[in-house]
Amino acid sequence: MKLYDILDLISIGFKADRFKTLMSSLGIIIGVMAIVVMLSVGEGIYSGVSSQFSTLDLDIIHVIPGRFSFGGPPARSPEEPAKFTDKDTKLLENIPGVKNVAPQTSAGVIVSFRDKNASATLIGIDPEKEHDLKSKISQGRFLTESDHTSIVIGSGVANGLFRMKISPGNRVRVYYEDGHMDFRVVGVLREEESSGIRAGNINTQMYVTHKAMKELLGRENYYYGTFQVTVDDPESVDEVVDRIKLDLERYHKDEAYDATTARDMLSSLMSILSMIKYALAGIGAISLVVGGIGIANVMMLTVKERVREIGVMKALGATTRDIRLQYLLEAGLLGVVSSIIGIALGIAVSFAIGSLAGLPSAIKIQSMLIGMLFGALSTIVAGVYPANRAAMLDPIEALRSE
Amino acid sequence: MISLSDIRKTYITGDAELPVLKGINLSIESGDFLALMGPSGSGKSTLMNIIGCLDRPTAGTYMLLDRDISKASEEELAMIRRDRIGFIFQAFNLIGRISVLKNVELPMMLKGLPRDERKSRALKLLESVGVSHRADFSPQNISGGERQRVAIARALANNPEIIIADEPTGNLDLKSTEEVMEILSGLNREGRTIIMVTHNPEITKYCNRVIRMRDGRILDQSSVEQS
């Protein structure tokens, strides 16, 4: 029997029973959809994240109080978070391979401009150590060591936070808890692509000197919130991290601190991404298995329904091979059609997720082919048993059946 | 053309052996129109299935067209059924989900004939049995007599030498019975060998031989003078 004749017969059957055909395909449709979504969204997240990380400096180590954790709840530890002071700055600066140590302390504050309030992040810095920030000034100037009432603001604060633009020379008032301080804006930073991972969004931050920060916070003991340590050679970053952890032990024996690199963050983020990917893959696999069982079930019913027809076909000279092929192809065709529908739905869902989450959509031809492959494969596997049952029917028994 | 010698068929169910055919010796000549009669349980259906290559004997030799069928493989039997034998059933056994025309095309599909050739031959066959106007109908929407004529057209699709008819008029009224028997008789005159199981003694008048079976054996054979 020729292939297109078999396909012709099968398609007549499908048309005759559209509802059953659709219902039996649903599991495969959903399974293929999940696979396409998994691959596309996974790819989208991956390319989105790696494009952010490509701008990330690999020669920077963040030293933080407490334990580093990313993506989950903050790691709890029995120790107090480390209290970083200038002693630590000196210590870090003396570690071989360290080029620069920039201590920062940040706080959530209310900023007031012409009687309008908004919240922002204020960061106390050491102007001499912030070469990177200094190079990002677009208007005005950067802070100097002696600035006490000057503030540098991110472009988002300057242009987006208030209805009016803030320019160098303007005055803002900053509230923290019960206290407040007045600052004169001396500089505005250039708008930066959000780096997402590192230290929040640079555009919505404001910078003052540690001296001013200490006064605003009004605390007797002023501690640094983080050190940004720059190393000479990005290759040696891991050694320096080890050394930092070891040396800080001297001052912070029973306190919690951690030193992390962009690569650490990258790898923990990637592990979260792969978890998401595996979850989607699991959903896809389960639906394909369930879908395959559904197809097998429907095929068994079909074979049962058509016992007599199969007997007739055999009497007319159909070989076991003809019958087996017919029912395998019937399952396979069901799989291919379901897969195409599943791929179409998968693309639609991926686009929807992509635009909702603001990720670049990355629907590759490979994703579709993989979806198709798995869909067709699971239906064909599901079709093997029913097709064999059909092929092995005894024509005499089959013709006798009602 | 067909020669059966000492054909036996025994069914085994559990420990019990059930002999259905107990040594059949029969030869059928090309051009015979043979009626196979006998009460139910006499083994005539089993014998017909063996002659029709749907079943194999437990013992004995079956020579069909100078070939020993008792030793043929399943695949070879299917080929013989497809190319050499046409089946007509009491219940018509047309496939309800495809059109009358497609039903007639089926054996040719199985043989792998090209579409156009298939279609024109199927239409010619339908015309020869007088139901070409039903070609695009579903078999479910035509009368019993028409169905059996479609089934005859299907049996003729690959131009077989032998036609096996299992009570072809069992589900038909008198008028359709006569029409169908006329068609079969015509096919016999063309030179086709017809083997027909029937309960109806009336229609044996179309046959040249009548074989009666009882209890797995051939009871008697009689030749009928054709009028």
Side-chain angles (χ1 to χ4, degrees), chain B residues 2-7 24-27 47 50-51 61-62:
Chain B
I2 290 173
S3 134
L4 304 161
S5 46
D6 200 26
I7 291 291
I24 300 284
N25 291 293
L26 177 65
S27 85
L47 179 60
I50 289 173
I51 294 174
T61 315
Y62 172 22

Side-chain angles (χ1 to χ4, degrees), chain B residues 85-119:
Chain B
I85 301 173
F87 284 92
I88 300 166
F89 305 92
Q90 178 178 7
F92 322 123
N93 279 339
L94 299 175
I95 293 173
R97 25 184 216 107
I98 60 178
S99 69
V100 160
L101 185 70
K102 275 264 186 305
N103 265 281
V104 180
E105 283 185 43
L106 258 184
M108 297 184 270
M109 272 191 195
L110 289 169
K111 199 172 182 176
L113 290 188
R115 196 174 287 239
D116 294 340
E117 191 182 332
R118 228 161 59 194
K119 195 172 170 187

Side-chain angles (χ1 to χ4, degrees), chain A residues 311-333:
Chain A
V312 173
M313 292 286 285
K314 284 201 152 182
L316 296 179
T319 58
T320 45
R321 187 189 145 273
D322 286 330
I323 305 284
R324 183 179 292 127
L325 197 62
Q326 183 190 334
Y327 286 91
L328 267 184
L329 277 177
E330 181 153 348
L333 199 66

Side-chain angles (χ1 to χ4, degrees), chain A residues 54-104:
Chain A
S54 64
T55 64
L56 209 82
D57 315 289
L58 291 170
D59 57 350
I60 289 185
I61 300 166
H62 290 263
V63 180
I64 55 164
R67 295 258 173 255
F68 172 70
S69 87
F70 190 83
R76 289 246 167 223
S77 62
E79 303 106 329
E80 284 279 300
K83 299 181 173 71
F84 290 136
T85 61
D86 277 325
K87 271 204 310 193
D88 298 295
T89 315
K90 290 266 151 19
L91 179 135
L92 293 171
E93 277 169 347
N94 286 332
I95 289 173
V98 169
K99 190 162 79 182
N100 185 49
V101 177
Q104 296 189 340

Side-chain angles (χ1 to χ4, degrees), chain A residues 147-295:
Chain A
D147 277 325
H148 187 209
T149 58
S150 302
I151 191 166
V152 165
I153 60 178
S155 69
V157 177
N159 302 319
L161 207 52
F162 298 95
R163 213 171 297 161
M164 284 160 295
K165 236 177 114 143
I166 306 177
S167 306
N170 289 139
R171 289 191 166 275
V172 295
R173 177 168 286 186
V174 175
Y175 294 90
Y176 179 79
E177 288 177 356
D178 297 333
H180 65 81
M181 270 178 84
D182 290 326
F183 291 100
R184 193 167 60 87
V185 177
V186 292
V188 176
L189 295 172
R190 174 168 90 218
E191 185 166 344
E192 284 285 302
E193 284 275 315
S194 165
S195 70
I197 310 303
R198 186 181 55 161
N201 186 347
I202 203 171
N203 297 325
T204 63
Q205 290 171 346
M206 310 186 296
Y207 300 89
V208 295
T209 57
H210 281 299
K211 209 167 143 194
M213 192 71 179
K214 186 178 177 184
E215 189 177 329
L216 179 69
L217 296 186
R219 288 185 191 146
E220 223 161 282
N221 299 309
Y222 180 79
Y223 302 116
Y224 297 131
T226 169
F227 292 107
Q228 248 187 53
V229 177
T230 312
V231 297
D232 290 321
D233 177 12
E235 296 292 307
S236 69
V237 75
D238 289 331
E239 291 159 40
V240 177
V241 165
D242 290 342
R243 183 69 193 271
I244 288 173
K245 287 180 179 170
L246 197 71
D247 284 7
L248 284 175
E249 187 78 13
R250 209 185 306 160
Y251 299 139
H252 306 283
K253 201 169 179 349
D254 296 318
E255 294 174 342
Y257 57 88
D258 213 342
T260 67
T261 61
R263 217 172 292 158
D264 291 340
M265 295 191 213
L266 192 71
S267 65
S268 45
L269 187 62
M270 284 303 157
S271 70
I272 292 167
L273 286 187
S274 62
M275 260 160 56
I276 295 172
K277 262 184 143 175
Y278 284 129
L280 279 166
I283 294 169
I286 291 167
S287 353
L288 280 181
V289 169
V290 174
I293 293 168
I295 296 255

Side-chain angles (χ1 to χ4, degrees), chain B residues 130-164:
Chain B
V131 283
S132 55
H133 60 297
R134 298 297 197 212
D136 294 325
F137 278 58
S138 157
Q140 287 150 344
N141 297 335
I142 60 177
S143 74
E146 286 171 331
R147 286 185 204 177
Q148 198 57 302
R149 282 187 276 166
V150 172
I152 293 172
R154 185 178 65 184
L156 294 172
N158 287 331
N159 199 18
E161 292 102 320
I162 301 163
I163 289 173
I164 290 191

